[in-house]
Amino acid sequence: MKKTRQQQDATRRQIVASAVDLMTRHGFDGTTMKDIARAAGIGDATIYKYFPTKDRIVVGYLDDTVQQALDDALQTPGFDGYALQEKLQRLTDAVLERLLADREFVAQVRGLAQRSPLSMLAEPLAARQRLREVVMGFLEAAETSGEIEPCDFKGAAGSLYTDYLAGVVTYWLGDTSDEFADTTQLVDLSLGVLVQMLRSGLVQRVLELGGFVLRSQMARMAHHRSSLLGLLQLARHTLGTVPPSAPRSSPPSASSPPAAPRPARAARAKAAPAATPAPARKPRKSAP
């Protein structure tokens, strides 16, 4: 009997969940497709109808997780009233929230990406394109409201956010501070610097002089934690002294409602140390 789309999606999710559990306990190399199929309750050959390789299962996990995080962020009460920085922070937090339960597995994924980067990039993530479009929407809304200066690089900025997010996750995986306080500070400072640059109209010049630094250096600098945070603090202080650009011809109305308060930070949630075996996964509650 032919399965419905809902049944196929449920089977796909079960395969991914089973793979995460097995790889967390036995490692990527210590887990076979046959092991995953049997844990998922499907035939040894059936699994290949959904995923041709273990690498594709890992990519499927990343895609599903980011898509769920996007839904979580966009469904936050009062989200449309958030300022640009608050929207970006909430989105970043939502991703870390979703990854938190699988932190040990995510560390393995990072190692796999470093060992075999081409296998992780062979198939584009649908979530990457959606992230780009969502961030472009944030920038357009901020530009329309007068929160930032007009910019013609929204597409590039949306793409760079995905690289920034990967850098934040790398930093978070190595964060041993209490309740991931260093990661919280990193996100606050880095996004604060970005928004200040957008408000002052400096981003175009920065991109021309070397915006590629974010893409190529974020992961490397993540290993020098104090230096990175110090650099961001200096940048925020310096940008705070830059005089604002000339007033916009159509400034936002003084009667505009203030931005809604930010929700509790996800990165502050306490997780078990990475060296401690992960507990059995529990089903997540669906987003309201």
Side-chain angles (χ1 to χ4, degrees):
M1 182 181 296
K2 186 176 181 179
K3 285 189 175 183
T4 66
R5 180 59 182 271
Q6 286 184 330
Q7 290 173 321
Q8 291 175 342
D9 289 345
T11 300
R12 184 183 181 280
R13 289 192 297 270
Q14 184 58 46
I15 292 171
V16 171
S18 298
V20 170
D21 287 337
L22 289 172
M23 290 180 189
T24 299
R25 288 188 278 126
H26 305 298
F28 180 85
D29 293 331
T31 302
T32 66
M33 291 290 277
K34 181 179 291 187
D35 294 334
I36 298 169
R38 292 180 177 179
I42 61 175
D44 294 349
T46 303
I47 190 172
Y48 292 97
K49 296 179 181 179
Y50 293 88
F51 298 101
T53 65
K54 288 189 296 182
D55 289 350
R56 294 300 96 198
I57 298 178
V58 172
V59 170
Y61 165 82
L62 295 173
D63 198 45
D64 290 347
T65 300
V66 174
Q67 295 277 18
Q68 292 164 357
L70 275 163
D71 291 338
D72 293 343
L74 297 175
Q75 292 169 10
T76 301
F79 186 79
D80 288 342
Y82 283 19
L84 176 60
Q85 182 174 345
E86 291 170 330
K87 288 179 177 178
L88 292 171
Q89 285 177 323
R90 175 63 190 121
L91 179 54
T92 304
D93 287 348
V95 172
L96 295 181
E97 280 179 11
R98 284 287 177 175
L99 294 176
L100 183 59
D102 304 319
R103 192 164 183 255
E104 187 175 350
F105 171 74
V106 176
Q108 291 191 39
V109 172
R110 180 189 62 175
L112 177 63
Q114 292 173 339
R115 184 180 70 184
S116 181
L118 291 180
S119 68
M120 303 298 293
L121 298 175
E123 181 177 317
L125 291 175
R128 173 181 284 269
Q129 178 60 27
R130 189 178 172 206
L131 269 175
R132 179 177 180 273
E133 293 171 355
V134 166
V135 172
M136 286 175 61
F138 292 169
L139 293 171
E140 288 172 357
E143 182 181 299
T144 300
S145 69
E147 183 183 354
I148 63 173
E149 291 295 305
C151 58
D152 57 2
F153 45 82
K154 300 181 189 68
S159 297
L160 282 173
Y161 174 78
T162 63
D163 298 306
Y164 164 82
L165 190 58
V168 169
V169 172
T170 296
Y171 189 94
W172 171 72
L173 287 171
D175 188 356
T176 58
S177 63
D178 187 38
E179 297 184 341
F180 307 123
D182 285 350
T183 300
T184 298
Q185 187 178 18
L186 170 73
V187 173
D188 288 343
L189 287 171
S190 56
L191 292 179
V193 167
L194 171 64
V195 172
Q196 282 181 312
M197 291 172 68
L198 289 167
R199 286 174 178 163
S200 64
L202 291 176
V203 173
Q204 187 67 46
R205 278 172 282 173
V206 170
L207 287 175
E208 292 171 355
L209 292 173
F212 67 91
V213 171
L214 176 62
R215 183 189 299 269
S216 61
Q217 299 297 319
M218 187 71 180
R220 183 182 67 81
M221 293 185 70
H223 297 294
H224 304 281
R225 320 183 79 77
S226 59
S227 299
L228 176 57
L229 294 177
L231 177 62
L232 290 169
Q233 289 171 336
L234 176 62
R236 185 169 69 174
H237 173 75
T238 302
L239 287 168
T241 65
V242 175
S245 303
R248 301 278 300 279
S249 58
S250 300
S253 170
S255 61
S256 299
R262 291 183 58 211
R265 296 300 305 274
R268 293 180 182 136
K270 188 65 177 176
T276 304
R281 287 164 55 84
K282 297 180 179 179
R284 297 191 180 104
K285 297 180 180 180
S286 58

Short mmCIF file of all heavy atoms in Angstrom, two decimals, residues 192-225:
data_model
loop_
_atom_site.label_atom_id
_atom_site.label_comp_id
_atom_site.label_asym_id
_atom_site.label_seq_id
_atom_site.Cartn_x
_atom_site.Cartn_y
_atom_site.Cartn_z
N GLY A 192 24.74 43.64 18.14
CA GLY A 192 24.68 45.07 18.47
C GLY A 192 25.59 45.88 17.56
O GLY A 192 25.22 46.96 17.08
N VAL A 193 26.79 45.36 17.30
CA VAL A 193 27.72 46.02 16.39
C VAL A 193 27.12 46.10 14.98
O VAL A 193 27.17 47.15 14.33
CB VAL A 193 29.07 45.27 16.36
CG1 VAL A 193 29.94 45.75 15.20
CG2 VAL A 193 29.81 45.47 17.67
N LEU A 194 26.54 45.00 14.52
CA LEU A 194 25.96 44.98 13.18
C LEU A 194 24.86 46.03 13.03
O LEU A 194 24.84 46.79 12.05
CB LEU A 194 25.39 43.59 12.89
CG LEU A 194 24.55 43.47 11.61
CD1 LEU A 194 25.41 43.74 10.39
CD2 LEU A 194 23.89 42.10 11.52
N VAL A 195 23.96 46.08 13.99
CA VAL A 195 22.83 47.01 13.89
C VAL A 195 23.31 48.45 13.97
O VAL A 195 22.81 49.33 13.25
CB VAL A 195 21.78 46.71 14.97
CG1 VAL A 195 20.70 47.79 15.00
CG2 VAL A 195 21.15 45.34 14.71
N GLN A 196 24.31 48.72 14.81
CA GLN A 196 24.85 50.08 14.88
C GLN A 196 25.47 50.48 13.54
O GLN A 196 25.34 51.63 13.11
CB GLN A 196 25.89 50.18 16.00
CG GLN A 196 25.27 50.28 17.40
CD GLN A 196 26.33 50.41 18.47
OE1 GLN A 196 27.30 49.67 18.50
NE2 GLN A 196 26.14 51.35 19.36
N MET A 197 26.13 49.55 12.89
CA MET A 197 26.71 49.84 11.58
C MET A 197 25.63 50.12 10.55
O MET A 197 25.77 51.02 9.71
CB MET A 197 27.58 48.67 11.14
CG MET A 197 28.86 48.49 11.97
SD MET A 197 29.73 46.96 11.57
CE MET A 197 30.28 47.32 9.92
N LEU A 198 24.55 49.36 10.60
CA LEU A 198 23.45 49.59 9.67
C LEU A 198 22.80 50.94 9.92
O LEU A 198 22.40 51.64 8.99
CB LEU A 198 22.42 48.47 9.81
CG LEU A 198 22.84 47.10 9.27
CD1 LEU A 198 21.87 46.01 9.75
CD2 LEU A 198 22.91 47.11 7.75
N ARG A 199 22.67 51.32 11.17
CA ARG A 199 22.05 52.61 11.50
C ARG A 199 22.92 53.78 11.05
O ARG A 199 22.41 54.83 10.66
CB ARG A 199 21.82 52.70 13.01
CG ARG A 199 20.66 51.84 13.50
CD ARG A 199 20.59 51.86 15.01
NE ARG A 199 19.46 51.08 15.49
CZ ARG A 199 19.32 50.64 16.74
NH1 ARG A 199 20.26 50.92 17.64
NH2 ARG A 199 18.27 49.95 17.09
N SER A 200 24.24 53.60 11.12
CA SER A 200 25.14 54.69 10.77
C SER A 200 25.49 54.72 9.29
O SER A 200 26.15 55.65 8.83
CB SER A 200 26.43 54.58 11.60
OG SER A 200 27.13 53.39 11.26
N GLY A 201 25.08 53.69 8.54
CA GLY A 201 25.38 53.65 7.12
C GLY A 201 26.80 53.22 6.80
O GLY A 201 27.28 53.45 5.69
N LEU A 202 27.49 52.57 7.77
CA LEU A 202 28.88 52.18 7.55
C LEU A 202 29.04 50.82 6.91
O LEU A 202 30.13 50.46 6.48
CB LEU A 202 29.63 52.17 8.90
CG LEU A 202 29.86 53.53 9.56
CD1 LEU A 202 30.51 53.32 10.92
CD2 LEU A 202 30.72 54.42 8.69
N VAL A 203 27.96 50.05 6.84
CA VAL A 203 28.09 48.67 6.39
C VAL A 203 28.63 48.58 4.97
O VAL A 203 29.45 47.72 4.66
CB VAL A 203 26.75 47.93 6.50
CG1 VAL A 203 26.84 46.55 5.87
CG2 VAL A 203 26.36 47.80 7.96
N GLN A 204 28.15 49.44 4.08
CA GLN A 204 28.60 49.37 2.69
C GLN A 204 30.11 49.51 2.59
O GLN A 204 30.78 48.76 1.88
CB GLN A 204 27.92 50.46 1.87
CG GLN A 204 28.19 50.38 0.38
CD GLN A 204 27.58 49.13 -0.26
OE1 GLN A 204 26.42 48.82 0.01
NE2 GLN A 204 28.35 48.43 -1.06
N ARG A 205 30.67 50.46 3.34
CA ARG A 205 32.11 50.64 3.31
C ARG A 205 32.85 49.45 3.92
O ARG A 205 33.90 49.04 3.44
CB ARG A 205 32.49 51.93 4.05
CG ARG A 205 32.32 53.18 3.20
CD ARG A 205 32.51 54.43 4.01
NE ARG A 205 31.31 54.72 4.80
CZ ARG A 205 31.25 55.69 5.71
NH1 ARG A 205 32.32 56.43 5.94
NH2 ARG A 205 30.14 55.92 6.36
N VAL A 206 32.29 48.92 5.00
CA VAL A 206 32.92 47.76 5.63
C VAL A 206 32.93 46.57 4.69
O VAL A 206 33.92 45.85 4.59
CB VAL A 206 32.19 47.40 6.94
CG1 VAL A 206 32.67 46.06 7.49
CG2 VAL A 206 32.40 48.49 7.98
N LEU A 207 31.81 46.35 3.98
CA LEU A 207 31.75 45.25 3.03
C LEU A 207 32.79 45.44 1.93
O LEU A 207 33.44 44.50 1.50
CB LEU A 207 30.35 45.15 2.42
CG LEU A 207 29.26 44.61 3.35
CD1 LEU A 207 27.91 44.68 2.65
CD2 LEU A 207 29.57 43.19 3.77
N GLU A 208 32.95 46.67 1.46
CA GLU A 208 33.91 46.93 0.41
C GLU A 208 35.34 46.69 0.89
O GLU A 208 36.20 46.26 0.14
CB GLU A 208 33.76 48.37 -0.08
CG GLU A 208 32.45 48.63 -0.83
CD GLU A 208 32.22 50.10 -1.13
OE1 GLU A 208 33.05 50.93 -0.66
OE2 GLU A 208 31.25 50.42 -1.82
N LEU A 209 35.62 47.00 2.16
CA LEU A 209 36.98 46.87 2.69
C LEU A 209 37.32 45.46 3.15
O LEU A 209 38.48 45.12 3.29
CB LEU A 209 37.15 47.83 3.88
CG LEU A 209 37.14 49.33 3.54
CD1 LEU A 209 37.14 50.17 4.80
CD2 LEU A 209 38.35 49.67 2.67
N GLY A 210 36.30 44.65 3.41
CA GLY A 210 36.64 43.30 3.87
C GLY A 210 35.56 42.58 4.63
O GLY A 210 35.84 42.01 5.68
N GLY A 211 34.33 42.61 4.17
CA GLY A 211 33.27 41.88 4.85
C GLY A 211 33.50 40.38 4.85
O GLY A 211 32.89 39.66 5.64
N PHE A 212 34.40 39.93 3.97
CA PHE A 212 34.70 38.49 3.91
C PHE A 212 35.31 37.98 5.21
O PHE A 212 35.34 36.77 5.46
CB PHE A 212 35.67 38.21 2.76
CG PHE A 212 37.03 38.79 2.97
CD1 PHE A 212 38.02 38.04 3.58
CD2 PHE A 212 37.32 40.07 2.56
CE1 PHE A 212 39.28 38.58 3.80
CE2 PHE A 212 38.58 40.61 2.77
CZ PHE A 212 39.55 39.87 3.38
N VAL A 213 35.78 38.88 6.07
CA VAL A 213 36.40 38.45 7.33
C VAL A 213 35.42 37.66 8.18
O VAL A 213 35.79 36.69 8.84
CB VAL A 213 36.93 39.68 8.11
CG1 VAL A 213 37.38 39.28 9.51
CG2 VAL A 213 38.08 40.32 7.34
N LEU A 214 34.16 38.06 8.17
CA LEU A 214 33.16 37.34 8.96
C LEU A 214 33.07 35.89 8.53
O LEU A 214 33.04 34.99 9.37
CB LEU A 214 31.78 38.01 8.79
CG LEU A 214 30.62 37.30 9.49
CD1 LEU A 214 30.83 37.28 11.00
CD2 LEU A 214 29.30 37.99 9.15
N ARG A 215 33.07 35.66 7.23
CA ARG A 215 32.94 34.29 6.71
C ARG A 215 34.19 33.46 7.01
O ARG A 215 34.11 32.30 7.41
CB ARG A 215 32.71 34.34 5.20
CG ARG A 215 32.49 32.97 4.56
CD ARG A 215 32.48 33.09 3.05
NE ARG A 215 31.40 33.94 2.58
CZ ARG A 215 30.20 33.50 2.26
NH1 ARG A 215 29.91 32.22 2.38
NH2 ARG A 215 29.28 34.33 1.83
N SER A 216 35.39 34.05 6.83
CA SER A 216 36.62 33.26 6.89
C SER A 216 37.24 33.18 8.27
O SER A 216 37.99 32.26 8.56
CB SER A 216 37.65 33.85 5.91
OG SER A 216 37.96 35.18 6.28
N GLN A 217 36.92 34.14 9.15
CA GLN A 217 37.62 34.21 10.43
C GLN A 217 36.78 33.88 11.65
O GLN A 217 37.32 33.68 12.73
CB GLN A 217 38.20 35.63 10.61
CG GLN A 217 39.19 36.04 9.54
CD GLN A 217 40.41 35.16 9.55
OE1 GLN A 217 40.93 34.80 10.59
NE2 GLN A 217 40.88 34.78 8.37
N MET A 218 35.45 33.80 11.50
CA MET A 218 34.59 33.62 12.67
C MET A 218 34.95 32.34 13.42
O MET A 218 35.09 32.34 14.64
CB MET A 218 33.12 33.59 12.23
CG MET A 218 32.14 33.56 13.40
SD MET A 218 32.10 35.12 14.26
CE MET A 218 30.87 34.76 15.53
N ALA A 219 35.08 31.24 12.71
CA ALA A 219 35.37 29.96 13.37
C ALA A 219 36.74 29.99 14.05
O ALA A 219 36.90 29.49 15.16
CB ALA A 219 35.30 28.82 12.36
N ARG A 220 37.73 30.59 13.37
CA ARG A 220 39.07 30.65 13.95
C ARG A 220 39.08 31.48 15.22
O ARG A 220 39.65 31.09 16.24
CB ARG A 220 40.06 31.23 12.94
CG ARG A 220 41.51 31.27 13.46
CD ARG A 220 42.43 31.90 12.44
NE ARG A 220 42.14 33.32 12.27
CZ ARG A 220 42.58 34.27 13.09
NH1 ARG A 220 43.32 33.95 14.15
NH2 ARG A 220 42.29 35.53 12.88
N MET A 221 38.42 32.62 15.17
CA MET A 221 38.40 33.50 16.33
C MET A 221 37.60 32.91 17.49
O MET A 221 37.80 33.29 18.64
CB MET A 221 37.82 34.87 15.95
CG MET A 221 38.71 35.65 14.99
SD MET A 221 38.07 37.31 14.66
CE MET A 221 38.34 38.10 16.24
N ALA A 222 36.70 31.98 17.16
CA ALA A 222 35.92 31.36 18.23
C ALA A 222 36.81 30.61 19.21
O ALA A 222 36.44 30.40 20.36
CB ALA A 222 34.90 30.39 17.63
N HIS A 223 37.99 30.22 18.77
CA HIS A 223 38.92 29.51 19.65
C HIS A 223 39.70 30.48 20.53
O HIS A 223 40.40 30.05 21.45
CB HIS A 223 39.88 28.67 18.82
CG HIS A 223 39.20 27.60 18.02
ND1 HIS A 223 38.57 26.53 18.62
CD2 HIS A 223 39.03 27.45 16.69
CE1 HIS A 223 38.05 25.76 17.68
NE2 HIS A 223 38.30 26.30 16.50
N HIS A 224 39.62 31.77 20.28
CA HIS A 224 40.28 32.79 21.09
C HIS A 224 39.18 33.64 21.73
O HIS A 224 38.95 34.78 21.37
CB HIS A 224 41.21 33.66 20.22
CG HIS A 224 42.24 32.86 19.49
ND1 HIS A 224 43.39 32.39 20.08
CD2 HIS A 224 42.26 32.38 18.21
CE1 HIS A 224 44.11 31.70 19.20
NE2 HIS A 224 43.44 31.68 18.06
N ARG A 225 38.53 33.07 22.72
CA ARG A 225 37.27 33.59 23.22
C ARG A 225 37.40 35.01 23.78
O ARG A 225 36.65 35.90 23.44
CB ARG A 225 36.72 32.64 24.28
CG ARG A 225 36.92 31.17 23.92
CD ARG A 225 36.30 30.27 24.94
NE ARG A 225 34.87 30.19 24.73
CZ ARG A 225 34.31 29.48 23.78
NH1 ARG A 225 35.05 28.81 22.94
NH2 ARG A 225 33.01 29.44 23.66
#
